[in-house]
Structures are given as C-alpha cells and as structure tokens.
Amino acid sequence: MFSITLQIENNSVMEDQLAILILENPWDKPKNNPGRASVLPFVEGICKLNNNISVYYSTFHEINGFDLALGQDLTHTKEKRQILYIASHGNERGLKDFTLKKLIPVIKKYKKIEGILIGACYAGMSKSVTDLFDDTNVRWVVSYTALINWFDTTLIDLSILHHLSNDKDKLFGTKEDLTIAFSQALDIFKPDYKLNNSRHNDSKISSAIQIWGKPKGAREIKSISDEIFS
C-alpha cells in the first residue's frame, strides 16, 4: 500500500518537471582560454533555485555530433518537459559550424522539446528560425540578431530559462501568456542597454533579442518581441 501511494505522488510531481538540454560548441581553444568558458555552471545555479529543473549537458562541433548528442543521450530524460539551450558562436545563417536549416530535421525527431534558446550572435537573422516550429511541439524560440557579449547574454538566457520553467499550461495557452512570461524574464534588463559597443551593430537589448511563439492550438507563429519591449 505504501509503495503504491509513493508511486502516485512521484508521478504527480513529475508532471511539471523540466529538463534543460544544453548543447554547447566550445568557445575557444584551450591555449586561448584555459578555463574553458561554459554556460553549464551558470545554468546549474538555476537548478539549485528551482526544484523542478534538471540540467543535461553535452558539446558538439558539427551537425552529426549535435544529432548524436540529442538522440543517444540528452533527450532520454525522465522529465516530460524539455528546453533545448544551444550555446555557440553564430552568424546570419545560423551557428558557426552549420546553418539552422540543417538543424530543422534534427529537431523534428524530438517531440518533448517545448522551447529553443539559441545563444549565438546573429543566429536570429536566419530565415530558417521559424521553420523550427514545423511538425514539432516547439512553442517558443529565442535568439539574437546582433553581435553580443558572452557574459551579458548569458545572464539574459538564465532569466529566460528561469521564468520559462513555470507550469507549461499557463505559458502556452495564448499569445498573451507567452508575452507575459517573457516580459517577466526581461523586465530586469534595460531595453536600451547595448550588448556590444560596435558602432556598426544595433545591439540594444530591445532590438537584438528576437522571440517567436506558437501558443497551444495556434497555426500561426507570432513574433512577440515588439510587444514585450513596447
């Protein structure tokens, strides 16, 4: 009798458990950065604050390694909810080593992923970003459209992961639900703060962050960035 009751309680607790799947492309060679900068210890700090979050981590260098890390390792979590956090150098076509277009068929294999955070310079400018929603259960995608500082944007990423760890039914019911969740995540940052001091780069937070959402049951993908910062 005791074991049956315990199992029921565990199942109920697991309903809102969230797995953050980190796939990180090493930022620099050991000779240039012996400390090996990584977003992992920062995200682990969020897990210590939120009892419903676990973090799973791997690295990649090319699309096959990315696919293998997800398929053979990271997506096999006990948690029913998953957020994919991609940390990498980027460009206007996607990531440093491959385009976002190549990422789309990979993401389509994994139906538990509800959100994708792409922490990479310029990746949000790729025309393939919204295609990440096609034939998936992805409800939101966040990325950047400018040259960005590593530390500053890591703090932004952490706030997004922290606030988007709430009850998924409250988050995805409507576009307004998603807008509120992201507004709360970004309210602590100044919209005019520049993520890079380059004169040839519009790196203000309000213009450098792009957020797309697809509420539950919706057919259309909505850009919600403007509403958040207005």
Side-chain angles (χ1 to χ4, degrees):
M1 183 67 179
F2 177 77
S3 61
I4 294 176
T5 303
L6 180 61
Q7 183 65 44
I8 292 174
E9 289 177 352
N10 283 341
N11 286 340
S12 126
V13 170
M14 288 301 298
E15 287 295 326
D16 201 44
Q17 294 293 299
L18 174 69
I20 297 177
L21 315 179
I22 302 175
L23 268 171
E24 187 171 42
N25 192 328
W27 300 97
D28 211 338
K29 294 180 173 60
K31 66 177 181 179
N32 298 325
N33 178 218
R36 308 315 305 270
S38 173
V39 301
L40 178 59
F42 293 86
V43 180
E44 287 176 332
I46 292 181
C47 296
K48 295 181 184 297
L49 284 173
N50 298 273
N51 294 328
N52 69 314
I53 299 178
S54 299
V55 61
Y56 302 88
Y57 176 86
S58 189
T59 58
F60 70 94
H61 290 274
E62 33 71 42
I63 188 65
N64 290 334
F66 189 102
D67 193 1
L68 287 172
L70 278 180
Q72 296 187 13
D73 185 15
L74 299 187
T75 52
H76 297 277
T77 72
K78 62 182 184 296
E79 293 82 6
K80 293 186 176 181
R81 301 174 58 203
Q82 295 177 343
I83 289 176
L84 176 59
Y85 181 20
I86 304 169
S88 171
H89 290 297
N91 54 50
E92 295 178 5
R93 299 177 62 204
L95 306 181
K96 179 185 71 173
D97 294 318
F98 55 85
T99 65
L100 286 189
K101 186 175 182 179
K102 290 185 177 181
L103 188 62
I104 293 165
V106 174
I107 298 300
K108 287 183 178 181
K109 300 178 185 179
Y110 309 109
K111 302 303 182 182
K112 291 169 67 175
I113 296 174
E114 67 183 43
I116 302 175
L117 174 55
I118 306 173
C121 296
Y122 298 115
M125 298 182 71
S126 169
K127 295 179 180 179
S128 300
V129 168
T130 54
D131 293 336
L132 293 169
F133 291 93
D134 293 346
D135 299 322
T136 68
N137 290 319
V138 173
R139 291 288 171 250
W140 57 266
V141 175
V142 179
S143 193
Y144 297 90
T145 58
L147 183 67
I148 52 179
N149 291 328
W150 191 93
F151 181 76
D152 298 346
T153 48
T154 297
L155 295 180
I156 293 173
D157 295 347
L158 293 176
S159 187
I160 290 173
L161 292 172
H162 172 69
H163 283 85
L164 270 292
S165 66
N166 294 321
D167 185 344
K168 65 177 180 179
D169 292 329
K170 295 178 181 177
L171 289 174
F172 305 144
T174 65
K175 178 186 175 183
E176 288 70 28
D177 294 334
L178 276 172
T179 302
I180 290 171
F182 281 105
S183 295
Q184 291 174 342
L186 297 171
D187 272 349
I188 61 175
F189 303 99
K190 293 181 179 180
D192 291 335
Y193 180 83
K194 291 187 176 182
L195 298 173
N196 189 280
N197 293 322
S198 170
R199 295 181 180 179
H200 306 289
N201 185 58
D202 185 6
S203 63
K204 291 188 298 184
I205 287 178
S206 58
S207 53
I209 298 176
Q210 290 298 312
I211 304 171
W212 298 267
K214 187 178 181 182
K216 188 176 181 180
R219 294 184 178 181
E220 295 184 3
I221 300 162
K222 309 285 187 180
S223 175
I224 58 179
S225 308
D226 292 341
E227 294 183 33
I228 290 172
F229 293 108
S230 64

Coordinates of all heavy atoms in Angstrom, one line a residue, residues 1 5 8 10 26 28 30 40-41 43-44 56 63 99 108-109 128 136-137 200-201 204:
M1 N 0.8 -1.2 0.0 CA 0.0 0.0 0.0 C 0.9 1.2 0.0 O 0.6 2.2 -0.7 CB -0.9 0.0 1.2 CG -1.9 1.2 1.3 SD -3.1 1.1 -0.1 CE -4.0 2.5 0.3
T5 N 1.2 4.3 -3.1 CA 0.9 5.7 -2.8 C 2.1 6.5 -3.2 O 2.0 7.6 -3.8 CB 0.6 5.9 -1.3 OG1 -0.5 5.1 -1.0 CG2 0.3 7.3 -1.0
I8 N 2.3 7.1 -7.0 CA 1.3 8.1 -7.4 C 1.8 9.5 -7.2 O 1.7 10.4 -8.0 CB 0.0 7.8 -6.8 CG1 -0.6 6.5 -7.3 CG2 -1.0 9.0 -7.1 CD1 -1.9 6.1 -6.6
N10 N 4.9 10.5 -6.9 CA 6.0 10.8 -7.7 C 5.5 11.1 -9.2 O 6.1 12.0 -9.8 CB 7.0 9.6 -7.8 CG 7.8 9.5 -6.6 OD1 8.0 10.4 -5.9 ND2 8.4 8.3 -6.3
P26 N 32.3 24.5 -28.0 CA 33.4 25.1 -27.3 C 33.7 26.5 -27.9 O 33.9 26.6 -29.1 CB 34.5 24.1 -27.4 CG 33.8 22.8 -27.5 CD 32.6 23.1 -28.3
D28 N 36.4 28.5 -27.4 CA 37.8 28.8 -27.8 C 38.7 27.6 -27.6 O 38.4 26.7 -26.8 CB 38.3 30.1 -27.1 CG 39.3 30.9 -27.9 OD1 39.9 30.3 -28.8 OD2 39.5 32.1 -27.6
P30 N 41.9 25.6 -26.0 CA 42.5 25.7 -24.6 C 43.6 26.7 -24.4 O 43.8 27.3 -23.4 CB 43.0 24.2 -24.4 CG 42.1 23.4 -25.3 CD 41.8 24.3 -26.5
L40 N 27.4 26.0 -18.6 CA 26.9 25.0 -17.7 C 26.9 25.4 -16.2 O 25.8 25.2 -15.6 CB 27.8 23.7 -17.9 CG 27.4 22.6 -17.0 CD1 26.0 22.1 -17.2 CD2 28.4 21.4 -17.2
P41 N 27.9 25.9 -15.6 CA 27.8 26.2 -14.2 C 26.8 27.3 -13.9 O 26.2 27.3 -12.8 CB 29.2 26.7 -13.8 CG 29.9 27.1 -15.1 CD 29.3 26.2 -16.1
V43 N 23.9 27.7 -15.5 CA 22.6 27.0 -15.6 C 22.4 26.1 -14.4 O 21.3 25.9 -13.8 CB 22.4 26.2 -16.9 CG1 21.0 25.5 -16.9 CG2 22.5 27.2 -18.1
E44 N 23.5 25.5 -13.9 CA 23.4 24.6 -12.7 C 22.9 25.4 -11.5 O 22.2 24.9 -10.6 CB 24.7 24.0 -12.5 CG 25.1 22.9 -13.4 CD 26.4 22.3 -13.2 OE1 27.3 23.0 -12.7 OE2 26.6 21.1 -13.5
Y56 N 21.0 18.8 -18.4 CA 21.8 17.7 -19.0 C 22.7 18.4 -20.1 O 22.2 19.3 -20.8 CB 20.8 16.7 -19.7 CG 19.9 16.0 -18.7 CD1 18.7 16.6 -18.3 CD2 20.3 14.9 -18.0 CE1 17.9 16.0 -17.4 CE2 19.4 14.3 -17.1 CZ 18.2 14.9 -16.8 OH 17.4 14.3 -15.9
I63 N 27.0 19.0 -37.2 CA 25.6 18.6 -37.2 C 25.5 17.2 -36.7 O 24.5 16.8 -36.0 CB 24.9 18.9 -38.5 CG1 23.4 18.7 -38.4 CG2 25.5 18.1 -39.6 CD1 22.7 19.6 -37.5
T99 N 24.3 25.6 -40.6 CA 23.2 26.5 -40.7 C 22.0 26.0 -39.9 O 21.9 24.8 -39.6 CB 22.7 26.7 -42.2 OG1 22.2 25.4 -42.6 CG2 23.9 27.1 -43.1
K108 N 13.0 17.9 -35.5 CA 11.7 17.3 -35.7 C 11.6 15.9 -35.1 O 10.5 15.3 -34.9 CB 11.4 17.2 -37.2 CG 11.1 18.5 -37.9 CD 10.8 18.4 -39.3 CE 10.3 19.7 -39.9 NZ 10.0 19.6 -41.4
K109 N 12.8 15.3 -34.8 CA 12.8 13.9 -34.3 C 12.4 13.9 -32.8 O 12.0 12.8 -32.3 CB 14.2 13.3 -34.4 CG 14.7 13.2 -35.8 CD 16.2 12.6 -35.7 CE 16.8 12.6 -37.0 NZ 18.2 12.1 -36.9
S128 N 15.6 30.6 -41.5 CA 15.1 29.2 -41.1 C 14.6 29.2 -39.6 O 14.1 28.1 -39.2 CB 16.2 28.2 -41.3 OG 16.6 28.2 -42.6
T136 N 6.7 20.0 -35.1 CA 7.3 19.8 -33.8 C 6.3 20.3 -32.7 O 5.3 20.9 -33.0 CB 8.6 20.6 -33.6 OG1 8.4 22.0 -33.5 CG2 9.6 20.3 -34.7
N137 N 6.7 20.1 -31.5 CA 5.9 20.6 -30.3 C 6.5 21.9 -29.7 O 6.2 22.3 -28.6 CB 5.7 19.5 -29.3 CG 4.8 18.4 -29.7 OD1 3.8 18.7 -30.3 ND2 5.2 17.2 -29.4
H200 N 28.8 49.7 -35.7 CA 28.1 49.2 -36.9 C 27.1 48.1 -36.5 O 26.8 47.2 -37.3 CB 29.1 48.6 -37.9 CG 30.2 49.6 -38.2 ND1 29.9 50.7 -39.0 CD2 31.5 49.7 -37.9 CE1 31.0 51.4 -39.2 NE2 32.0 50.8 -38.5
N201 N 26.7 48.1 -35.3 CA 25.8 47.0 -34.8 C 24.8 47.5 -33.8 O 25.1 48.1 -32.8 CB 26.8 46.0 -34.1 CG 26.0 44.7 -33.7 OD1 25.4 44.1 -34.5 ND2 26.0 44.5 -32.4
K204 N 21.2 47.0 -29.0 CA 20.3 47.3 -27.8 C 19.5 46.0 -27.6 O 19.0 45.4 -28.5 CB 19.5 48.5 -28.1 CG 20.2 49.8 -28.2 CD 19.2 51.0 -28.2 CE 18.4 50.9 -29.5 NZ 17.5 52.1 -29.6

